[in-house]
Amino acid sequence: MKHLLSIDELTTDELQELLRITPSFAEVASRRIAKVPALRGLTVATLFYEDSTRTRLSFEVAAKRLSADTLNVSVASSSVNKGESLRDTAETIEAMGIDAVVVRHASSGAPWQLTKWLDASVINAGDGWHQHPTQALLDCFTLQQELGSLEGRHIAIVGDIKHSRVARSDVSAFTRLGATVTLVAPPTLLPPATETWPVTVSHDLDSVLTDVDAVYLLRMQKERMRESLVPDLREYTALYGLTAARASKLGTKIPILHPGPMNRGVEIAADVPDLDQVVVVDQVRNGVAVRMAVLFMLLGSGNSGLPTDSLPAMAEEVPA
Ligand code: ASP
């Protein structure tokens, strides 16, 4: 496998295998010297045309823990501002010698386009409303840690589903691992044709919360809205926000996830993120390990399939 563009391009076996090997990479992070030589001599570039805190840093840390060199293109201060196209920018970076490019772009499909122009591996770190495959992987890994397995579990995904590449990626991954998913949102924040998705849809958060194994909250993605889709945010919060009252009805055992960035006071009440069952920090931590597994799968195993056999090589620590 050369690229990771969409969660649907992974077979269920590959998805499960990636999740199975992720703990080996998480273990590296817990070492005194959190670095292994697996990708020494290789270069990973990040090319982000949309804002990011977690994903870009997470890929950078993941690449560094595998000893790859990293190149971060800051689009805001690059020649993109002088009108350079995605193709010319990407080809310029590739000419400097890169082995993989991690790309985020507002246009759905941009990462597929890059694969036509570049020899390097391309990893989709979010394309428009469409896909965010490594987010789905880290969410599955976090849910497995919390619930043991996703098989037979009921997960509610709540909020702005319409504009969410996270929801599109998670629905595919969660259901393929055996979970049932209910999307909870006002009609204006649902995508068209949800009847073709493998989900149930509800507009009544309170009734859904009586019967869930995990709750996944999404941010209101105002940057993607061209019209006002909710009459006002206070009303949205009253109906669809995880208020302190709703969280206490949920009990203390049901994990609450969010991909970040959280808008405290909108989809989640200001003090709810401090509850023990909110696993947002675990998601971030797991994101590094999952992305190490992905980089290793694409670059580190000679592309001979998933790297199970190569894992012992990681035991070697880089000398201080
Ligand atoms: N960070 C996630 C994304 O890039 C979710 C969000 O922005 O709300 O899609």
Side-chain angles (χ1 to χ4, degrees):
M1 188 169 148
K2 183 167 176 188
H3 309 293
L4 180 60
L5 303 175
S6 136
I7 201 75
D8 294 321
E9 288 183 4
L10 289 174
T11 65
T12 304
D13 280 350
E14 286 171 329
L15 179 60
Q16 272 162 340
E17 184 65 359
L18 262 171
L19 296 171
R20 196 186 66 72
I21 63 171
T22 293
S24 314
F25 295 93
E27 185 272 319
V28 171
S30 66
R31 294 182 189 175
R32 190 176 57 83
I33 299 168
K35 210 172 175 79
V36 288
L39 301 188
R40 189 184 276 158
L42 302 183
T43 302
V44 176
T46 60
L47 176 59
F48 277 51
Y49 284 79
E50 277 191 338
D51 297 343
S52 172
T53 303
R54 273 151 292 271
T55 308
R56 199 194 61 69
L57 286 175
S58 179
F59 270 109
E60 186 179 347
V61 172
K64 287 188 162 139
R65 293 219 164 122
L66 295 170
S67 300
D69 293 321
T70 55
L71 208 68
N72 298 311
V73 184
S74 165
V75 165
S77 58
S78 73
S79 289
V80 170
N81 278 341
K82 299 180 185 170
E84 189 165 59
S85 69
L86 172 63
R87 179 175 187 161
D88 289 338
T89 304
E91 286 179 350
T92 300
I93 303 166
E94 186 168 68
M96 294 178 196
I98 58 163
D99 300 282
V101 59
V102 180
V103 64
R104 169 169 287 188
H105 202 281
S107 298
S108 299
W112 278 261
Q113 203 56 49
L114 278 191
T115 64
K116 302 206 174 76
W117 298 325
L118 304 182
D119 289 328
S121 288
V122 177
I123 301 173
N124 183 358
D127 62 323
W129 308 3
H130 182 218
Q131 276 286 313
H132 194 349
T134 56
Q135 179 74 45
L137 289 166
L138 75 90
D139 289 336
C140 289
F141 187 75
T142 306
L143 283 166
Q144 283 184 340
Q145 277 184 334
E146 293 299 313
L147 305 174
S149 153
L150 274 75
E151 189 64 50
R153 301 302 195 153
H154 179 205
I155 301 162
I157 303 182
V158 186
D160 180 3
I161 318 277
K162 181 180 171 119
H163 302 100
S164 177
R165 53 196 174 209
V166 174
R168 284 173 181 77
S169 308
D170 276 353
V171 164
S172 168
F174 295 171
T175 54
R176 280 203 285 146
L177 296 178
T180 56
V181 174
T182 300
L183 304 180
V184 189
T188 48
L189 292 181
L190 284 167
T194 43
E195 63 283 359
T196 62
W197 293 31
V199 296
T200 307
V201 171
S202 170
H203 309 302
D204 182 358
L205 179 59
D206 289 303
S207 74
V208 173
L209 291 184
T210 59
D211 170 36
V212 285
D213 296 298
V215 180
Y216 198 106
L217 301 171
L218 293 171
R219 182 176 64 89
M220 192 77 85
Q221 292 154 93
K222 291 197 216 85
E223 74 276 21
R224 301 197 200 292
M225 295 183 194
R226 282 185 201 92
E227 61 209 312
S228 176
L229 293 173
V230 288
D232 85 79
L233 276 185
R234 265 176 314 171
E235 184 180 321
Y236 173 82
T237 303
L239 290 172
Y240 296 98
L242 192 66
T243 56
R246 288 194 175 108
S248 74
K249 273 201 215 135
L250 206 52
T252 55
K253 297 273 182 294
I254 305 292
I256 298 166
L257 293 86
H258 192 303
M262 285 186 283
N263 281 164
R264 291 187 190 230
V266 183
E267 71 273 9
I268 189 160
D271 45 357
V272 170
D274 305 330
L275 299 174
D276 283 346
Q277 76 221 73
V278 176
V279 293
V280 172
V281 172
D282 302 272
Q283 288 173 273
V284 175
R285 187 179 309 109
N286 292 336
V288 175
V290 158
R291 290 177 176 119
M292 286 170 78
V294 167
L295 287 170
F296 191 68
M297 181 182 79
L298 299 181
L299 301 178
S301 59
N303 280 324
S304 57
L306 288 168
T308 334
D309 301 336
S310 323
L311 282 175
M314 299 207 320
E316 185 195 335
E317 281 191 8
V318 173

